[in-house]
Amino acid sequence: MSLDLVKKLVILAKSNIMQSNNIDALEAIRIKFLGKKGYLNQHIKNINDTPSDIKPKLGAAINQAKKDIYTLFIEQKNILQSKNIKNTLITDTLDVTLPGRLSDIGTHHPITSTIKRMKIFFNTLGFSIIHSPEIEDDYFNFDSLNISKYHPSRDEHDTFWFDEKRLLRTHTSGVQIRAMTNKTPPIRIISFGRVYRKDYDQNHTPMFHQMEGLMVDSHVNFSYLKKILYDFLYNFFEKDIILRFRPSYFPFTEPSAEIDVMKQETGNWLELLGCGMVHPKILHHVDIDTKKFSGFAFGIGIERLTMLQYNIDDIRVFFKNDLQFLDQFKQYKDI
Ligand code: PHE
């Protein structure tokens, strides 16, 4: 390898580069001259055979040649790229008269629509919305609601525990305690949210939604509770339904009741919600004067309502993200 050869290689590379008229060809030239196995690197490998007096000069010349060729390569690449852009601008045409493409507009999830409708009903009656955490401690989820550590109803809740104290709330009723601790009567609140229980079948998913309602005032009684809930259900289903108000038990309400709806096809009763008068023990605990005030509370399963409204017989479809299922709700007017 001689200095002369290096010069010749530079000239050859230059003319190759100048003649290349597309980016792929240019890249092939770069590899031919500058690549790992390219001419110049091959020559560097042989430099040891060169007499030692010209070795440094030759090394420097090869490095300089690499730099020069690389500069030429970049320059030519820029030229070719801008040529490409110009060409596309000339050849690509845009037909502004073509009809636009309609994008597919989605719709609210049926659970979201149910929540919206419930909000409208209860907001109209003066209930305001409050939020409560999904990760609760055993105080708000159980103890404060009169469900002590060894109370049998704790077992019915099939709780997801994080540790000794913290859990995923099994119902929204903890919000009653938060509301009564933070506010003074009159109180009218509702709260929506996810609740969690270890359960999975056609009628249960480990996560589902509840709405909690609470009213504390000086004139609140059991028949008022029944009236509000019946009004809500008749209004919600917008059709004739048969309801049943049946005594029940919850540790935090006394008396307690549940409302069932009759399934028209089978005549079977289906439980919709739990409710009752807030237990005096709980009112005392949050410093509400039971001589002046009383309260009622209710908890409604949101999936249940939605399943009944649309005749859905498997709760699991709500959470499968199956577009075929979800697309059906486009036909219902959104509110
Ligand atoms: N928290 C109860 C449940 O999940 C429902 C309920 C709420 C009952 C409020 C009474 C009052 O089953």
Side-chain angles (χ1 to χ4, degrees):
M1 175 87 169
S2 65
L3 283 170
D4 208 31
L5 185 55
V6 177
K7 267 187 202 152
K8 278 189 184 148
L9 275 177
V10 175
I11 293 167
L12 182 64
K14 188 172 178 173
S15 82
N16 274 204
I17 287 174
M18 293 310 191
Q19 279 163 26
S20 68
N21 54 10
N22 69 66
I23 295 206
D24 289 343
L26 183 66
E27 177 62 14
I29 295 167
R30 186 190 68 79
I31 293 170
K32 194 162 86 181
F33 285 89
L34 302 178
K36 249 192 194 163
K37 293 182 182 161
Y39 293 149
L40 286 151
N41 283 330
Q42 285 304 317
H43 287 313
I44 286 205
K45 276 190 197 152
N46 300 334
I47 206 164
N48 280 341
D49 306 338
T50 322
S52 57
D53 52 335
I54 55 166
K55 212 191 251 178
K57 261 194 181 170
L58 186 60
I62 293 178
N63 282 335
Q64 188 58 42
K66 278 166 121 183
K67 271 188 201 153
D68 292 348
I69 295 173
Y70 188 68
T71 317
L72 286 169
F73 163 78
I74 292 291
E75 278 169 11
Q76 183 70 359
K77 193 172 176 182
N78 288 340
I79 293 171
L80 291 177
Q81 269 171 347
S82 54
K83 253 192 203 161
N84 279 352
I85 293 174
K86 270 186 206 145
N87 280 343
T88 352
L89 285 176
I90 293 166
T91 51
D92 269 19
T93 47
L94 175 70
D95 185 352
V96 289
T97 63
L98 283 175
R101 284 189 205 112
L102 274 186
S103 49
D104 196 16
I105 296 173
T107 182
H108 278 122
H109 191 280
I111 297 294
T112 311
S113 304
T114 300
I115 291 178
K116 277 174 97 178
R117 294 187 57 210
M118 296 171 97
K119 275 182 187 166
I120 291 174
F121 183 89
F122 284 101
N123 283 165
T124 314
L125 293 185
F127 286 79
S128 52
I129 299 166
I130 64 169
H131 300 283
S132 195
E134 285 171 35
I135 298 178
E136 274 287 18
D137 56 38
D138 54 356
Y139 173 75
F140 283 110
N141 199 80
F142 293 126
D143 296 293
S144 64
L145 290 163
N146 213 11
I147 312 175
S148 58
K149 205 171 179 108
Y150 301 105
H151 196 290
S153 89
R154 269 207 194 196
D155 296 340
E156 285 164 25
H157 282 245
D158 294 322
T159 314
F160 288 107
W161 290 93
F162 289 105
D163 50 41
E164 293 257 294
K165 286 202 79 57
R166 287 178 318 146
L167 51 103
L168 283 171
R169 64 175 175 190
T170 58
H171 55 177
T172 42
S173 293
V175 80
Q176 293 179 33
I177 308 299
R178 289 180 191 273
M180 289 190 286
T181 318
N182 299 331
K183 294 175 194 281
T184 50
I187 299 171
R188 281 182 199 214
I189 57 101
I190 49 172
S191 188
F192 297 87
R194 301 188 183 103
V195 299
Y196 303 83
R197 293 182 197 176
K198 281 187 213 159
D199 236 342
Y200 188 71
D201 60 34
Q202 193 178 340
N203 290 311
H204 301 90
T205 43
M207 184 282 294
F208 59 102
H209 296 77
Q210 280 189 340
M211 183 192 106
E212 190 81 13
L214 171 74
M215 177 164 176
V216 182
D217 209 331
S218 50
H219 55 277
V220 169
N221 58 40
F222 204 46
S223 58
Y224 194 41
L225 164 68
K226 182 177 170 189
K227 162 88 176 124
I228 282 193
L229 292 174
Y230 268 51
D231 276 355
F232 165 68
L233 293 170
Y234 286 133
N235 176 286
F236 183 86
F237 288 110
E238 294 172 322
K239 59 185 175 201
D240 281 341
I241 45 165
I242 302 169
L243 296 175
R244 177 168 79 170
F245 196 77
R246 141 178 83 79
S248 182
Y249 170 76
F250 298 102
F252 39 95
T253 47
E254 180 57 39
S256 304
E258 277 176 287
I259 297 183
D260 302 330
V261 64
M262 187 190 274
K263 285 210 71 165
Q264 267 154 359
E265 309 78 41
T266 54
N268 291 341
W269 293 103
L270 199 84
E271 178 197 322
L272 278 184
L273 60 89
C275 61
M277 300 302 292
V278 180
H279 200 298
K281 230 171 137 178
I282 288 172
L283 293 175
H284 285 306
H285 184 72
V286 291
D287 281 338
I288 289 180
D289 185 352
T290 48
K291 288 200 193 77
K292 282 197 202 143
F293 298 108
S294 55
F296 63 64
F298 49 91
I300 307 183
I302 297 175
E303 280 76 5
R304 274 281 163 86
L305 287 189
T306 317
M307 286 166 79
L308 275 166
Q309 194 194 5
Y310 298 115
N311 258 326
I312 296 168
D313 54 15
D314 190 333
I315 188 176
R316 294 169 291 199
V317 291
F318 287 127
F319 308 114
K320 280 198 173 143
N321 275 344
D322 173 353
L323 283 182
Q324 261 186 7
F325 167 73
L326 294 172
D327 274 349
Q328 300 176 85
F329 295 92
K330 284 184 181 165
Q331 61 183 296
Y332 299 102
K333 64 177 190 312
D334 198 18
I335 42 152

